[in-house]
mmCIF file of all heavy atoms in Angstrom:
data_model
loop_
_atom_site.group_PDB
_atom_site.id
_atom_site.type_symbol
_atom_site.label_atom_id
_atom_site.label_comp_id
_atom_site.label_asym_id
_atom_site.label_seq_id
_atom_site.Cartn_x
_atom_site.Cartn_y
_atom_site.Cartn_z
ATOM 1 N N LYS A 1 0.835 -1.201 0.000
ATOM 2 C CA LYS A 1 0.000 0.000 0.000
ATOM 3 C C LYS A 1 0.872 1.255 0.000
ATOM 4 O O LYS A 1 0.626 2.205 -0.757
ATOM 5 C CB LYS A 1 -0.924 -0.020 1.212
ATOM 6 C CG LYS A 1 -1.868 1.144 1.270
ATOM 7 C CD LYS A 1 -2.760 1.060 2.490
ATOM 8 C CE LYS A 1 -3.659 2.279 2.541
ATOM 9 N NZ LYS A 1 -4.195 2.520 3.853
ATOM 10 N N ASP A 2 1.907 1.253 0.840
ATOM 11 C CA ASP A 2 2.814 2.397 0.916
ATOM 12 C C ASP A 2 3.544 2.609 -0.411
ATOM 13 O O ASP A 2 3.674 3.747 -0.882
ATOM 14 C CB ASP A 2 3.806 2.179 2.060
ATOM 15 C CG ASP A 2 4.688 3.381 2.314
ATOM 16 O OD1 ASP A 2 4.206 4.523 2.180
ATOM 17 O OD2 ASP A 2 5.877 3.188 2.658
ATOM 18 N N LEU A 3 3.993 1.527 -1.039
ATOM 19 C CA LEU A 3 4.705 1.638 -2.310
ATOM 20 C C LEU A 3 3.793 2.159 -3.410
ATOM 21 O O LEU A 3 4.209 2.948 -4.256
ATOM 22 C CB LEU A 3 5.302 0.288 -2.703
ATOM 23 C CG LEU A 3 6.376 -0.287 -1.771
ATOM 24 C CD1 LEU A 3 6.837 -1.642 -2.259
ATOM 25 C CD2 LEU A 3 7.539 0.668 -1.616
ATOM 26 N N LYS A 4 2.531 1.717 -3.420
ATOM 27 C CA LYS A 4 1.573 2.214 -4.408
ATOM 28 C C LYS A 4 1.351 3.708 -4.248
ATOM 29 O O LYS A 4 1.248 4.436 -5.235
ATOM 30 C CB LYS A 4 0.242 1.467 -4.277
ATOM 31 C CG LYS A 4 0.247 0.095 -4.912
ATOM 32 C CD LYS A 4 -1.019 -0.675 -4.661
ATOM 33 C CE LYS A 4 -2.279 0.065 -5.009
ATOM 34 N NZ LYS A 4 -3.500 -0.728 -4.779
ATOM 35 N N GLU A 5 1.275 4.178 -3.003
ATOM 36 C CA GLU A 5 1.100 5.608 -2.740
ATOM 37 C C GLU A 5 2.302 6.420 -3.205
ATOM 38 O O GLU A 5 2.180 7.612 -3.469
ATOM 39 C CB GLU A 5 0.842 5.841 -1.255
ATOM 40 C CG GLU A 5 -0.515 5.357 -0.807
ATOM 41 C CD GLU A 5 -0.698 5.386 0.707
ATOM 42 O OE1 GLU A 5 0.264 5.755 1.432
ATOM 43 O OE2 GLU A 5 -1.799 5.005 1.162
ATOM 44 N N GLN A 6 3.471 5.761 -3.311
ATOM 45 C CA GLN A 6 4.685 6.424 -3.797
ATOM 46 C C GLN A 6 4.858 6.246 -5.304
ATOM 47 O O GLN A 6 5.938 6.460 -5.833
ATOM 48 C CB GLN A 6 5.905 5.874 -3.055
ATOM 49 C CG GLN A 6 5.906 6.165 -1.577
ATOM 50 C CD GLN A 6 7.142 5.611 -0.900
ATOM 51 O OE1 GLN A 6 8.258 5.856 -1.352
ATOM 52 N NE2 GLN A 6 6.953 4.860 0.167
ATOM 53 N N ASN A 7 3.780 5.827 -5.985
ATOM 54 C CA ASN A 7 3.759 5.686 -7.448
ATOM 55 C C ASN A 7 4.742 4.636 -7.965
ATOM 56 O O ASN A 7 5.487 4.866 -8.916
ATOM 57 C CB ASN A 7 4.011 7.044 -8.117
ATOM 58 C CG ASN A 7 3.502 7.046 -9.544
ATOM 59 O OD1 ASN A 7 2.620 6.257 -9.900
ATOM 60 N ND2 ASN A 7 4.052 7.926 -10.364
ATOM 61 N N MET A 8 4.730 3.466 -7.332
ATOM 62 C CA MET A 8 5.580 2.355 -7.731
ATOM 63 C C MET A 8 5.238 1.912 -9.163
ATOM 64 O O MET A 8 4.082 1.750 -9.511
ATOM 65 C CB MET A 8 5.376 1.188 -6.768
ATOM 66 C CG MET A 8 6.071 -0.082 -7.174
ATOM 67 S SD MET A 8 5.700 -1.455 -6.077
ATOM 68 C CE MET A 8 3.976 -1.733 -6.406
ATOM 69 N N GLN A 9 6.287 1.705 -9.983
ATOM 70 C CA GLN A 9 6.114 1.267 -11.372
ATOM 71 C C GLN A 9 6.518 -0.190 -11.591
ATOM 72 O O GLN A 9 6.158 -0.795 -12.590
ATOM 73 C CB GLN A 9 6.937 2.164 -12.313
ATOM 74 C CG GLN A 9 6.570 3.629 -12.212
ATOM 75 C CD GLN A 9 5.116 3.877 -12.580
ATOM 76 O OE1 GLN A 9 4.641 3.432 -13.610
ATOM 77 N NE2 GLN A 9 4.394 4.566 -11.701
ATOM 78 N N GLY A 10 7.280 -0.748 -10.680
ATOM 79 C CA GLY A 10 7.738 -2.130 -10.732
ATOM 80 C C GLY A 10 8.058 -2.581 -9.319
ATOM 81 O O GLY A 10 8.198 -1.749 -8.418
ATOM 82 N N LEU A 11 8.163 -3.890 -9.104
ATOM 83 C CA LEU A 11 8.366 -4.411 -7.757
ATOM 84 C C LEU A 11 9.440 -5.491 -7.733
ATOM 85 O O LEU A 11 9.453 -6.383 -8.582
ATOM 86 C CB LEU A 11 7.041 -4.992 -7.220
ATOM 87 C CG LEU A 11 7.061 -5.647 -5.844
ATOM 88 C CD1 LEU A 11 7.442 -4.642 -4.765
ATOM 89 C CD2 LEU A 11 5.704 -6.266 -5.542
ATOM 90 N N VAL A 12 10.322 -5.404 -6.735
ATOM 91 C CA VAL A 12 11.307 -6.440 -6.455
ATOM 92 C C VAL A 12 10.970 -7.009 -5.076
ATOM 93 O O VAL A 12 10.869 -6.260 -4.104
ATOM 94 C CB VAL A 12 12.752 -5.881 -6.460
ATOM 95 C CG1 VAL A 12 13.746 -6.959 -6.031
ATOM 96 C CG2 VAL A 12 13.104 -5.324 -7.827
ATOM 97 N N ILE A 13 10.765 -8.330 -5.014
ATOM 98 C CA ILE A 13 10.509 -9.016 -3.748
ATOM 99 C C ILE A 13 11.759 -9.820 -3.414
ATOM 100 O O ILE A 13 12.157 -10.699 -4.182
ATOM 101 C CB ILE A 13 9.280 -9.935 -3.840
ATOM 102 C CG1 ILE A 13 8.041 -9.143 -4.246
ATOM 103 C CG2 ILE A 13 9.052 -10.663 -2.511
ATOM 104 C CD1 ILE A 13 6.838 -9.999 -4.568
ATOM 105 N N ASP A 14 12.376 -9.515 -2.293
ATOM 106 C CA ASP A 14 13.630 -10.156 -1.898
ATOM 107 C C ASP A 14 13.351 -11.300 -0.927
ATOM 108 O O ASP A 14 12.981 -11.072 0.221
ATOM 109 C CB ASP A 14 14.553 -9.118 -1.258
ATOM 110 C CG ASP A 14 15.962 -9.633 -1.043
ATOM 111 O OD1 ASP A 14 16.187 -10.863 -1.161
ATOM 112 O OD2 ASP A 14 16.847 -8.807 -0.742
ATOM 113 N N LEU A 15 13.521 -12.544 -1.404
ATOM 114 C CA LEU A 15 13.325 -13.740 -0.585
ATOM 115 C C LEU A 15 14.646 -14.468 -0.325
ATOM 116 O O LEU A 15 14.644 -15.639 0.052
ATOM 117 C CB LEU A 15 12.333 -14.690 -1.273
ATOM 118 C CG LEU A 15 10.930 -14.146 -1.510
ATOM 119 C CD1 LEU A 15 10.094 -15.148 -2.295
ATOM 120 C CD2 LEU A 15 10.262 -13.803 -0.200
ATOM 121 N N ARG A 16 15.756 -13.779 -0.522
ATOM 122 C CA ARG A 16 17.053 -14.429 -0.308
ATOM 123 C C ARG A 16 17.210 -14.808 1.157
ATOM 124 O O ARG A 16 16.888 -14.040 2.052
ATOM 125 C CB ARG A 16 18.197 -13.510 -0.746
ATOM 126 C CG ARG A 16 18.238 -13.315 -2.262
ATOM 127 C CD ARG A 16 19.267 -12.324 -2.668
ATOM 128 N NE ARG A 16 18.913 -11.007 -2.116
ATOM 129 C CZ ARG A 16 19.664 -9.929 -2.279
ATOM 130 N NH1 ARG A 16 20.794 -9.979 -2.949
ATOM 131 N NH2 ARG A 16 19.270 -8.780 -1.761
ATOM 132 N N SER A 17 17.693 -16.026 1.393
ATOM 133 C CA SER A 17 17.919 -16.588 2.738
ATOM 134 C C SER A 17 16.645 -16.641 3.575
ATOM 135 O O SER A 17 16.708 -16.658 4.793
ATOM 136 C CB SER A 17 19.022 -15.814 3.475
ATOM 137 O OG SER A 17 20.230 -15.908 2.749
ATOM 138 N N ASN A 18 15.501 -16.698 2.932
ATOM 139 C CA ASN A 18 14.214 -16.856 3.613
ATOM 140 C C ASN A 18 13.944 -18.359 3.687
ATOM 141 O O ASN A 18 13.713 -19.001 2.671
ATOM 142 C CB ASN A 18 13.120 -16.137 2.835
ATOM 143 C CG ASN A 18 11.757 -16.243 3.486
ATOM 144 O OD1 ASN A 18 11.411 -17.269 4.062
ATOM 145 N ND2 ASN A 18 10.972 -15.195 3.362
ATOM 146 N N SER A 19 13.952 -18.904 4.894
ATOM 147 C CA SER A 19 13.814 -20.353 5.063
ATOM 148 C C SER A 19 12.368 -20.829 5.053
ATOM 149 O O SER A 19 12.101 -22.011 5.238
ATOM 150 C CB SER A 19 14.489 -20.787 6.365
ATOM 151 O OG SER A 19 13.865 -20.148 7.462
ATOM 152 N N GLY A 20 11.413 -19.919 4.837
ATOM 153 C CA GLY A 20 10.012 -20.329 4.740
ATOM 154 C C GLY A 20 9.229 -19.950 5.970
ATOM 155 O O GLY A 20 9.433 -18.895 6.556
ATOM 156 N N GLY A 21 8.305 -20.810 6.343
ATOM 157 C CA GLY A 21 7.453 -20.532 7.487
ATOM 158 C C GLY A 21 6.026 -20.957 7.230
ATOM 159 O O GLY A 21 5.786 -22.026 6.666
ATOM 160 N N LEU A 22 5.087 -20.095 7.604
ATOM 161 C CA LEU A 22 3.664 -20.430 7.526
ATOM 162 C C LEU A 22 3.130 -20.326 6.102
ATOM 163 O O LEU A 22 3.182 -19.259 5.482
ATOM 164 C CB LEU A 22 2.866 -19.495 8.449
ATOM 165 C CG LEU A 22 3.255 -19.537 9.925
ATOM 166 C CD1 LEU A 22 2.489 -18.472 10.696
ATOM 167 C CD2 LEU A 22 3.007 -20.917 10.501
ATOM 168 N N LEU A 23 2.590 -21.432 5.614
ATOM 169 C CA LEU A 23 2.091 -21.489 4.245
ATOM 170 C C LEU A 23 0.964 -20.483 4.012
ATOM 171 O O LEU A 23 0.918 -19.841 2.961
ATOM 172 C CB LEU A 23 1.594 -22.905 3.915
ATOM 173 C CG LEU A 23 0.921 -23.051 2.546
ATOM 174 C CD1 LEU A 23 1.920 -22.816 1.430
ATOM 175 C CD2 LEU A 23 0.267 -24.408 2.415
ATOM 176 N N ASN A 24 0.052 -20.326 4.971
ATOM 177 C CA ASN A 24 -1.086 -19.436 4.741
ATOM 178 C C ASN A 24 -0.640 -17.998 4.507
ATOM 179 O O ASN A 24 -1.293 -17.259 3.771
ATOM 180 C CB ASN A 24 -2.107 -19.529 5.875
ATOM 181 C CG ASN A 24 -1.574 -19.070 7.204
ATOM 182 O OD1 ASN A 24 -0.369 -19.109 7.452
ATOM 183 N ND2 ASN A 24 -2.460 -18.631 8.073
ATOM 184 N N ASN A 25 0.474 -17.575 5.074
ATOM 185 C CA ASN A 25 0.986 -16.235 4.813
ATOM 186 C C ASN A 25 1.545 -16.122 3.400
ATOM 187 O O ASN A 25 1.380 -15.088 2.751
ATOM 188 C CB ASN A 25 2.029 -15.840 5.852
ATOM 189 C CG ASN A 25 1.393 -15.250 7.074
ATOM 190 O OD1 ASN A 25 1.221 -14.043 7.151
ATOM 191 N ND2 ASN A 25 0.985 -16.086 8.007
ATOM 192 N N ALA A 26 2.187 -17.170 2.919
ATOM 193 C CA ALA A 26 2.669 -17.172 1.536
ATOM 194 C C ALA A 26 1.487 -17.099 0.569
ATOM 195 O O ALA A 26 1.521 -16.341 -0.406
ATOM 196 C CB ALA A 26 3.498 -18.430 1.271
ATOM 197 N N ILE A 27 0.422 -17.848 0.841
ATOM 198 C CA ILE A 27 -0.770 -17.829 -0.017
ATOM 199 C C ILE A 27 -1.432 -16.453 0.027
ATOM 200 O O ILE A 27 -1.863 -15.918 -0.999
ATOM 201 C CB ILE A 27 -1.765 -18.938 0.398
ATOM 202 C CG1 ILE A 27 -1.140 -20.325 0.185
ATOM 203 C CG2 ILE A 27 -3.079 -18.815 -0.355
ATOM 204 C CD1 ILE A 27 -0.743 -20.651 -1.241
ATOM 205 N N ASN A 28 -1.501 -15.837 1.212
ATOM 206 C CA ASN A 28 -2.087 -14.503 1.334
ATOM 207 C C ASN A 28 -1.294 -13.458 0.549
ATOM 208 O O ASN A 28 -1.870 -12.534 -0.023
ATOM 209 C CB ASN A 28 -2.206 -14.089 2.800
ATOM 210 C CG ASN A 28 -3.288 -14.855 3.522
ATOM 211 O OD1 ASN A 28 -4.204 -15.396 2.906
ATOM 212 N ND2 ASN A 28 -3.185 -14.933 4.838
ATOM 213 N N ILE A 29 0.019 -13.602 0.503
ATOM 214 C CA ILE A 29 0.847 -12.699 -0.299
ATOM 215 C C ILE A 29 0.584 -12.937 -1.781
ATOM 216 O O ILE A 29 0.430 -11.991 -2.556
ATOM 217 C CB ILE A 29 2.335 -12.863 0.067
ATOM 218 C CG1 ILE A 29 2.590 -12.223 1.433
ATOM 219 C CG2 ILE A 29 3.246 -12.269 -1.000
ATOM 220 C CD1 ILE A 29 3.952 -12.480 2.015
ATOM 221 N N LEU A 30 0.500 -14.194 -2.191
ATOM 222 C CA LEU A 30 0.199 -14.508 -3.596
ATOM 223 C C LEU A 30 -1.168 -13.969 -3.993
ATOM 224 O O LEU A 30 -1.370 -13.530 -5.134
ATOM 225 C CB LEU A 30 0.280 -16.017 -3.824
ATOM 226 C CG LEU A 30 1.690 -16.597 -3.814
ATOM 227 C CD1 LEU A 30 1.647 -18.116 -3.763
ATOM 228 C CD2 LEU A 30 2.477 -16.118 -5.021
#
């Protein structure tokens, strides 16, 4: 939401060294 308010034109999602976690949060992000 904050990035959209700043007129974001593209997005980089950094998942490096992310070992995972709760599946429902990953689905909610998707």
Side-chain angles (χ1 to χ4, degrees):
K1 183 180 178 200
D2 186 36
L3 296 178
K4 281 174 52 179
E5 289 171 358
Q6 296 181 51
N7 201 23
M8 173 184 67
Q9 302 299 310
L11 177 62
V12 174
I13 302 171
D14 190 347
L15 299 175
R16 291 175 296 178
S17 299
N18 181 324
S19 61
L22 301 174
L23 174 66
N24 64 334
N25 274 269
I27 296 300
N28 288 338
I29 287 171
L30 288 168

